[in-house]
Amino acid sequence: MKNKDTIYDILVHTVNLILLGAIGFLAFFSVVNISPHRDPISDLFGFGTIIFLTVMWAINYWF
């Protein structure tokens, strides 16, 4: 039983790191302006994606 708990803990930490990495990656590129013309719709989509991933990470971390 202890082995299953250890595997579960490793899996949960790996998923949390992947989610936090995705959030950090998207947040970095939403702050750094690499295009001369910004589209407000894509900015809104990027912001919504960051919020969604943060909520998903928080729920995963809570469980």
Side-chain angles (χ1 to χ4, degrees):
M1 186 69 178
K2 184 178 178 179
N3 191 21
K4 288 184 181 180
D5 290 336
T6 305
I7 292 172
Y8 175 76
D9 288 341
I10 292 171
L11 182 65
V12 166
H13 289 301
T14 304
V15 170
N16 278 329
L17 286 174
I18 290 170
L19 287 173
L20 282 176
I23 292 167
F25 183 79
L26 289 174
F28 175 77
F29 283 110
S30 69
V31 171
V32 175
N33 186 6
I34 59 173
S35 63
H37 302 289
R38 300 288 293 192
D39 184 19
I41 300 294
S42 67
D43 289 343
L44 186 62
F45 178 73
F47 183 71
T49 304
I50 291 171
I51 295 297
F52 173 73
L53 286 175
T54 304
V55 169
M56 206 163 75
W57 170 80
I59 291 170
N60 186 22
Y61 191 75
W62 183 46
F63 282 129

